[in-house]
Amino acid sequence: MHAPGLKRLAVAILLAGCTSAAMAQYVWLNDKGVKQYSDTPPPASVPNSKILKSPKGMTPASTPAKPVEESEKDGEAAKKGPQTIAEKNADFQKRRAEQAEKDKETEAKKQAAADKKKNCEQASNYKRVLDSGERISRMDKSGERAYLSDEERAQEMRENKRAMEECK
């Protein structure tokens, strides 16, 4: 009768040992959201919020140090608690507005570059006309055709030169 009692004791000890070994494991979510199990701490790249379980006496804060800005974000989120739908919506709207502003700035830069390119092409074409020596006419206030004088041509060449310097 001693043998069955010893077997039960041995099984109980084995189960207790397995349970404590299982409790000494870390459980966290990887970047794809899959649970990871290990007896070693998760990599430093795993934020505290993704660590689901750690051994007794070891909190996620006592695991290896994480980059400062990441642990600050985790700390702010822990202080606030889980976000409400309204807070999530406000964050989304804020990010959306920031992205719209970035898109607007990018579009403005593209438009400015296109305008500059067009102006440079026009200045280059006008320079060729000025350099060719052919007569250049314009309409005056009364609608009559008037040709540029030598002084006016020289003035136009100086202005065109300034415009071409901006194209470089």
Side-chain angles (χ1 to χ4, degrees):
M1 282 206 178
H2 254 309
L6 285 176
K7 280 185 180 180
R8 285 186 194 155
L9 181 61
V11 169
I13 291 173
L14 272 172
L15 287 176
C18 292
T19 304
S20 66
M23 292 178 75
Q25 287 189 347
Y26 291 87
V27 180
W28 69 92
L29 296 174
N30 67 9
D31 56 345
K32 295 179 182 173
V34 178
K35 282 186 181 180
Q36 300 292 309
Y37 299 88
S38 177
D39 58 349
T40 60
S45 62
V46 176
N48 286 341
S49 61
K50 299 262 184 166
I51 299 174
L52 304 176
K53 183 179 172 188
S54 60
K56 279 189 176 179
M58 292 204 53
T59 61
S62 64
T63 55
K66 303 212 184 322
V68 174
E69 63 270 353
E70 188 177 311
S71 45
E72 286 176 0
K73 289 178 191 172
D74 292 342
E76 290 172 9
K79 289 177 188 174
K80 292 180 183 177
Q83 284 188 325
T84 64
I85 293 175
E87 290 172 332
K88 288 180 182 180
N89 192 27
D91 287 345
F92 171 74
Q93 293 298 337
K94 181 180 175 185
R95 288 191 311 271
R96 188 175 182 192
E98 289 171 354
Q99 186 62 42
E101 185 66 29
K102 286 179 187 177
D103 292 346
K104 185 177 176 183
E105 289 174 11
T106 302
E107 188 60 35
K109 286 179 183 178
K110 284 181 183 178
Q111 185 63 43
D115 290 346
K116 183 177 180 180
K117 183 179 178 183
K118 181 179 177 184
N119 290 338
C120 289
E121 286 176 6
Q122 288 176 343
S124 178
N125 291 338
Y126 191 49
K127 181 181 184 323
R128 278 194 291 275
V129 171
L130 288 170
D131 289 344
S132 72
E134 72 181 69
R135 295 180 70 184
I136 299 173
S137 65
R138 294 194 176 153
M139 295 290 190
D140 64 7
K141 294 178 184 175
S142 62
E144 298 286 324
R145 182 180 293 188
Y147 292 96
L148 292 181
S149 67
D150 290 339
E151 296 85 34
E152 291 171 327
R153 186 190 232 16
Q155 177 64 30
E156 289 289 321
M157 290 179 92
R158 283 190 294 273
E159 289 176 11
N160 186 268
K161 185 177 180 182
R162 274 189 241 123
M164 292 294 292
E165 286 175 358
E166 291 179 15
C167 295
K168 295 179 182 177

